[in-house]
Amino acid sequence: YIIGDGCEVALIDPGPNIESHLTAIKKALVGKKLLAVLITHSHIDHSPLARPISKIYEVPIYAYGRSGKGKSSIMEKYTRGVELGGGEGIDYNFNPDVLISSGDHLSCSSWIIEALHTPGHMSNHLCFSLNKGEALFSGDLVMGWATTLISPPDGDIAQYKDSMSKLLERRENLYFPGHGGPLKNAKRMVLDQLTHRNEREQ
């Protein structure tokens, strides 16, 4: 996603390091000033292109942290010394320039973005709220057609349910997910997905 109506923009989740994808993004940024690269989480379909773009445009990468940051103490305890697998698709090379968490803001004259730490799908997962509740960029916490993958040890169902419950308390009801089209009644989707997880536990 490219955020901003004017010349100053931010880029959310530039995606995998594929030359054709980089070319398309560079074309979309012609005539614009890129201020920041924002990463929802460090999976290989979201974060690897961040560093090349950061170098080309000389802008910082903002994220919660490297892969594994934000893991709950309970998950740390129960996975210590145990090989669970579940590391598929993680960008282990991801290393942001600026660490951000819930309540941190980035802004320019035409937009303001608030970070929300929303672990569950991945421990370093962030969502980004646009213009004080106008919309939410939900990454892979809330996707457009199905519940997200939660793969321990980095994925955590307890963190996921807590993050989803927090979204229900917020103003945003228009989501732009990392996969799928815009969700215009997003809180309904959040509630349905939480209900689905609870039914599976039962």
Side-chain angles (χ1 to χ4, degrees):
Y1 292 103
I2 297 174
I3 309 303
D5 293 328
C7 64
E8 295 182 321
V9 300
L11 179 64
I12 297 178
D13 285 358
N17 194 357
I18 298 171
E19 187 62 33
S20 60
H21 195 49
L22 174 60
T23 299
I25 291 174
K26 288 166 69 175
K27 183 178 179 180
L29 291 175
V30 169
K32 302 181 184 300
K33 180 181 180 182
L34 183 63
L35 300 180
V37 178
L38 309 174
I39 301 298
T40 60
H41 64 294
S42 52
H43 271 153
I44 58 174
D45 55 337
H46 291 258
S47 59
L49 196 52
R51 184 54 62 193
I53 288 177
S54 171
K55 290 180 178 178
I56 291 168
Y57 292 94
E58 298 182 341
V59 295
I61 300 168
Y62 294 80
Y64 185 78
R66 301 186 74 147
S67 299
K69 185 177 180 187
K71 197 178 294 183
S72 72
S73 59
I74 293 175
M75 187 63 76
E76 289 279 11
K77 174 183 176 182
Y78 284 105
T79 60
R80 191 174 297 122
V82 177
E83 179 53 54
L84 294 179
E88 302 86 356
I90 294 177
D91 180 4
Y92 290 105
N93 295 319
F94 180 66
N95 187 19
D97 301 308
V98 182
L99 303 184
I100 55 175
S101 189
S102 295
D104 290 332
H105 292 79
L106 291 87
S107 64
C108 74
S109 58
S110 63
W111 49 262
I112 181 169
I113 291 175
E114 176 191 0
L116 311 167
H117 183 219
T118 50
H121 171 70
M122 199 168 178
S123 61
N124 68 352
H125 195 286
L126 293 172
C127 291
F128 297 107
S129 176
L130 179 65
N131 296 337
K132 299 181 179 180
E134 180 181 308
L136 187 81
F137 294 89
S138 60
D140 283 4
L141 182 70
V142 183
M143 299 196 293
W145 67 87
T147 59
T148 192
L149 172 70
I150 300 174
S151 180
D154 203 87
D156 185 322
I157 188 67
Q159 285 185 323
Y160 167 81
K161 290 170 69 173
D162 184 58
S163 293
M164 294 287 273
S165 296
K166 288 177 180 177
L167 292 188
L168 289 174
E169 299 171 359
R170 293 186 58 86
R171 175 182 174 186
E172 300 90 0
N173 203 26
L174 170 63
Y175 289 8
F176 293 97
H179 302 274
L183 298 171
K184 296 182 179 180
N185 187 10
K187 287 188 178 182
R188 179 76 255 174
M189 175 70 90
V190 171
L191 186 58
D192 286 349
Q193 291 184 3
L194 264 176
T195 300
H196 170 72
R197 294 285 180 173
N198 288 330
E199 287 174 348
R200 288 187 67 182
E201 287 186 11
Q202 291 302 315

